[in-house]
Amino acid sequence: KRRKTHKHRKSHGAIGFHELSKRIAKAWKCVDEDVKRYCEQVCAVGMARYKVMMKEWNRKKQHQKMLSEEQVKSESLVKQAPEEINTSIIQGEA
């Protein structure tokens, strides 16, 4: 099958990404030190919040992984024949 090509979309024409990034870099070089310090503080607060959220997300992800592993283990016990379950319980494998 042949993929359809998308028609070229017209941009708004105001400014391209390359020109925008040049203007931002130029403006940032001229910014007052107080403004830079403020921006760095805002960034630090945002980064701290992000790290806390990621730590919580990773903790939940790990907990979910443990639960799913336990579920797989219990499902495998259900699939075993009754005599295999009794033997594994007696031997302390469960």
Side-chain angles (χ1 to χ4, degrees):
K1 290 183 177 181
R2 196 168 185 192
R3 293 178 72 182
K4 290 183 179 181
T5 58
H6 293 284
K7 292 182 179 178
H8 178 71
R9 292 185 180 147
K10 292 183 181 179
S11 65
H12 51 75
I15 189 171
F17 180 77
H18 184 69
E19 182 62 30
L20 177 65
S21 64
K22 278 184 171 181
R23 288 186 187 184
I24 291 171
K26 185 178 179 182
W28 183 250
K29 288 179 184 177
C30 301
V31 169
D32 187 27
E33 286 301 316
D34 291 338
V35 173
K36 283 186 180 182
R37 202 174 5 253
Y38 172 77
C39 290
E40 288 170 355
Q41 289 173 348
V42 169
C43 178
V45 169
M47 187 58 89
R49 193 173 94 217
Y50 168 77
K51 287 182 179 182
V52 168
M53 290 171 65
M54 285 303 295
K55 190 178 278 189
E56 178 67 18
W57 182 78
N58 283 325
R59 186 188 65 75
K60 286 180 180 179
K61 185 177 160 185
Q62 186 66 27
H63 180 71
Q64 193 69 13
K65 183 179 177 185
M66 287 184 347
L67 288 177
S68 65
E69 287 173 355
E70 287 176 7
Q71 183 180 7
V72 168
K73 193 181 231 184
S74 66
E75 287 174 358
S76 68
L77 282 175
V78 170
K79 291 178 183 176
Q80 289 179 351
E83 59 275 357
E84 291 177 32
I85 294 174
N86 290 335
T87 306
S88 64
I89 292 173
I90 292 169
Q91 294 173 353
E93 295 174 3

